[in-house]
Amino acid sequence: MIHLITTRCIGSQEELADLLAAEGFKVTQATLSRDLKMLKTTKVATDRGGYMYILPDSNSLKDKLLSKGAIDLSTPNFQSGFVSLQLSRNIAVIKTRNGYAAGLAYDIDMSNTPEILGTIPGSDTILAVLDENVSHERAMEIFSRLLPLDKY
């Protein structure tokens, strides 16, 4: 199950059950639910408007690419649900469409940008804490690599 979650974009327990069955493992929904909870999986929004399961401290290909800066999150194909960005001292408030904040916050955290100390997502808002010495101009440069600010 771990291999499937880290290598595939699985959006539902039914889809996961089908993939496991194809590999010879017949499981019930109750077992899947319990196992997913035990593994501490999270469902995050994808760039295609759906959802996918991720594992904490995942080593998935997307995580590796994000952490190396190999994925430009502001490309036209990236559908982040981004709505707006406001800065206040060392706090950035990022508004998203409902349900997109957790996935976008995860992508921001995985970018390993040293000027961004961390994020706290809600359902449609992300609070990002910036290093105290980051100017608003520098913050906008950083976020322009992570968010589609040209559409903003």
Side-chain angles (χ1 to χ4, degrees):
M1 180 169 13
I2 292 172
H3 175 72
L4 289 173
I5 292 171
T6 58
T7 59
R8 309 284 288 278
C9 183
I10 302 170
S12 69
Q13 290 183 11
E14 181 180 349
E15 185 180 350
L16 181 56
D18 290 345
L19 289 169
L20 287 168
E23 293 193 9
F25 301 100
K26 184 165 174 58
V27 295
T28 66
Q29 187 275 331
T31 298
L32 272 181
S33 183
R34 184 176 54 248
D35 289 350
L36 289 169
K37 185 175 181 178
M38 183 190 72
L39 290 171
K40 297 182 181 174
T41 60
T42 304
K43 253 186 162 176
V44 297
T46 67
D47 58 351
R48 291 187 173 92
Y51 290 90
M52 68 181 274
Y53 287 106
I54 61 166
L55 295 166
D57 300 322
S58 172
N59 288 322
S60 73
L61 177 60
K62 182 178 179 188
D63 293 348
K64 289 178 184 174
L65 292 172
L66 281 167
S67 67
K68 291 181 179 177
I71 295 178
D72 181 5
L73 299 180
S74 63
T75 60
N77 292 333
F78 180 72
Q79 188 176 7
S80 65
F82 172 76
V83 173
S84 68
L85 167 69
Q86 288 189 310
L87 299 171
S88 175
R89 297 191 190 227
N90 70 323
I91 302 286
V93 178
I94 302 163
K95 294 287 190 175
T96 69
R97 291 181 16 222
N98 192 31
Y100 281 78
L104 184 53
Y106 178 79
D107 289 346
I108 291 168
D109 288 338
M110 288 306 300
S111 73
N112 289 325
T113 304
E115 294 92 343
I116 302 174
L117 302 179
T119 62
I120 303 170
S123 61
D124 65 358
T125 305
I126 302 166
L127 292 181
V129 179
L130 305 170
D131 184 272
E132 290 179 12
N133 299 317
V134 176
S135 69
H136 283 191
E137 293 78 21
R138 177 70 181 132
M140 292 303 282
E141 288 174 25
I142 293 164
F143 283 114
S144 70
R145 292 192 318 261
L146 302 171
L147 303 169
L149 293 181
D150 59 329
K151 298 172 189 169
Y152 172 59

